[in-house]
Amino acid sequence: MDWQTIKIPNQSRGKCTPYASVGHDQLILSAAACELIENYEEYEFVELLIPKNKDKITMVGVKLCKKSSNDSIKIRRIKYKDKYSKGIVISNKNVLANVFGVDRASGDVTRFPVKKDDEDDSILVITLNS
């Protein structure tokens, strides 16, 4: 049989699409999401943010920080074949359960779109599906 490879456009691979994956007690920001922040490799911590005066959480902010604070979480980077991946991993079971809900945080992975905050260049905004 003669075979032909199906071409997959870059945007379909997820490499160009900024997203966050939540599940298995982790929040993972894709390489494309991280690259929205200039020099993101210099950041070692994050603070999770929610909008003030909202009854239902529809967005979560991820503020990248260079220094630790009382409310920051250490960023973890995955190493594969002696190279670090461009994405980042945020692990804190209790905080993620409070922000995203226990089912989303500890269950199967759910993917959400990410964009850079219009007012702060160090914040990524995760838009949650209703």
Side-chain angles (χ1 to χ4, degrees):
M1 167 126 333
D2 192 23
W3 295 97
Q4 177 181 341
T5 301
I6 298 172
K7 299 293 180 193
I8 302 174
N10 274 342
Q11 62 270 22
S12 297
R13 294 180 185 183
K15 290 182 179 179
C16 301
T17 307
Y19 67 86
S21 298
V22 177
H24 305 293
D25 300 321
Q26 299 184 112
L27 167 62
I28 299 174
L29 295 172
S30 70
C34 293
E35 289 171 350
L36 294 173
I37 304 291
E38 191 173 325
N39 299 319
Y40 76 91
E41 303 93 347
E42 296 175 4
Y43 296 91
E44 296 184 43
F45 300 90
V46 296
E47 292 177 358
L48 298 179
L49 314 167
I50 55 174
K52 291 181 182 177
N53 305 320
K54 297 281 183 179
D55 292 336
K56 184 176 179 185
I57 298 173
T58 58
M59 290 184 242
V60 175
V62 179
K63 181 174 182 150
L64 280 72
C65 307
K66 292 184 180 179
K67 295 183 180 183
S68 176
S69 72
N70 287 337
D71 298 316
S72 66
I73 301 169
K74 178 89 170 135
I75 290 173
R76 187 167 50 94
R77 291 182 168 81
I78 297 172
K79 195 172 192 178
Y80 179 72
K81 293 187 178 181
D82 295 327
K83 290 179 92 176
Y84 284 102
S85 71
K86 293 185 178 184
I88 61 174
V89 180
I90 301 157
S91 300
N92 189 311
K93 181 178 180 175
N94 294 331
V95 172
L96 294 176
N98 285 337
V99 173
F100 294 98
V102 174
D103 291 342
R104 276 189 182 154
S106 62
D108 290 336
V109 174
T110 305
R111 195 179 271 193
F112 301 102
V114 173
K115 66 177 185 136
K116 187 161 80 166
D117 185 76
D118 296 332
E119 298 172 11
D120 189 328
D121 288 340
S122 66
I123 296 177
L124 296 172
V125 179
I126 302 168
T127 305
L128 306 180
N129 304 341
S130 303

